[in-house]
Amino acid sequence: RTRAFEACYLGSNPSPAAMKRIYFIRHGMTAGNETFTYQMLDTPLSERGRLQADFLAERFSKISFDVLIASTMERAQETARSIAKKTGHDVISEPLFHERLQPSVVRGKAHNDPEVKETLRVARSYWAEEGARHSDEENFYDLKDRATKALDYLISRDEETMVVVTHGTILKTMLAVMMRGKDLQPDFLDEISQFFFPENTGITWVEYDNKQHPGRWQLITWNDHAHLG
């Protein structure tokens, strides 16, 4: 049996002290995901999303971990609470893991709304300009900075094995930072964003070597959603 099987299905012991193991999880499905609507900060899970979270929680009842961390957005909080209820962990809320902020004027509106498309076209024109924005959205530099701080936060914690409930875009940005660090450029993040797609409640397992090869990240499993069938 493979190492991934042992860890994900049988709940093997945490990694040795020289390594940090982190299970990133995209939150469960929401009505916004189902209707292609830009989401509000307090958007909850849909009925389907709550069922996904229950399947996810059952899976993590068989996986040993030390701490449960979640984005402050409600859809991530609700997903984390399902895991907490099943495993007995408390949920630590951390805003570094919230989703990329789009202009607030598009939140709650459909992706195909003409005004939304025009707003995002303008916002996209500022994506790679440091310090330039349409309004209150996050551009590439904002996102890169927050993803870097989020990873530094995890590295600084004492726990060896962590579960982090987060969101699709910030997750892909953290992966890009793991790969390129301070040299990350907008075009590489764009490639990552177009190629990698995380399912709702998909599990991404990474490890950080803080002893033998300090600073080296490894991607072990991407977007594992076997618990959904």
Side-chain angles (χ1 to χ4, degrees), residues 5-54:
F5 179 92
E6 293 287 347
C8 292
Y9 293 91
L10 301 184
S12 67
N13 293 330
S15 302
M19 303 293 291
K20 283 186 179 293
R21 175 181 296 173
I22 303 166
Y23 297 106
F24 289 107
I25 300 166
R26 186 188 177 199
H27 61 82
M29 184 78 74
T30 68
N33 296 144
E34 294 168 349
T35 60
F36 301 101
T37 299
Y38 288 102
Q39 303 191 70
M40 308 297 288
L41 305 185
D42 59 353
T43 299
L45 299 183
S46 64
E47 182 177 351
R48 181 180 175 188
R50 287 189 288 273
L51 186 60
Q52 291 174 333
D54 288 343

Side-chain angles (χ1 to χ4, degrees), residues 8-113:
C8 292
Y9 293 91
L10 301 184
S12 67
N13 293 330
S15 302
M19 303 293 291
K20 283 186 179 293
R21 175 181 296 173
I22 303 166
Y23 297 106
F24 289 107
I25 300 166
R26 186 188 177 199
H27 61 82
M29 184 78 74
T30 68
N33 296 144
E34 294 168 349
T35 60
F36 301 101
T37 299
Y38 288 102
Q39 303 191 70
M40 308 297 288
L41 305 185
D42 59 353
T43 299
L45 299 183
S46 64
E47 182 177 351
R48 181 180 175 188
R50 287 189 288 273
L51 186 60
Q52 291 174 333
D54 288 343
F55 288 139
L56 177 73
E58 180 63 29
R59 188 169 183 187
F60 271 96
S61 71
K62 302 175 179 66
I63 300 174
S64 175
F65 63 96
D66 303 316
V67 66
L68 175 59
I69 301 167
S71 151
T72 49
M73 291 181 171
E74 177 58 23
R75 52 197 185 271
Q77 287 283 309
E78 192 174 351
T79 304
R81 288 195 295 269
S82 292
I83 299 172
K85 184 178 179 181
K86 194 73 175 180
T87 65
H89 288 77
D90 293 327
V91 179
I92 296 175
S93 300
E94 176 48 62
L96 286 170
F97 299 102
H98 70 65
E99 184 57 299
R100 179 197 172 195
L101 297 177
Q102 297 284 5
S104 55
V105 294
V106 309
R107 296 175 199 163
K109 297 180 180 179
H111 289 192
N112 60 3
D113 182 300

Side-chain angles (χ1 to χ4, degrees), residues 24 97 147 150-151 166 169-178:
F24 289 107
F97 299 102
L151 294 177
T166 184
T169 301
I170 186 62
L171 172 57
K172 290 183 282 190
T173 307
M174 287 188 286
L175 288 179
V177 171
M178 291 177 205

Side-chain angles (χ1 to χ4, degrees), residues 34 36 48 51 106 116 124 149 170 191 195 202 209 221:
E34 294 168 349
F36 301 101
R48 181 180 175 188
L51 186 60
V106 309
V116 167
R124 179 67 188 176
K149 289 177 179 177
I170 186 62
E191 290 182 26
F195 185 77
D209 188 335
T221 302

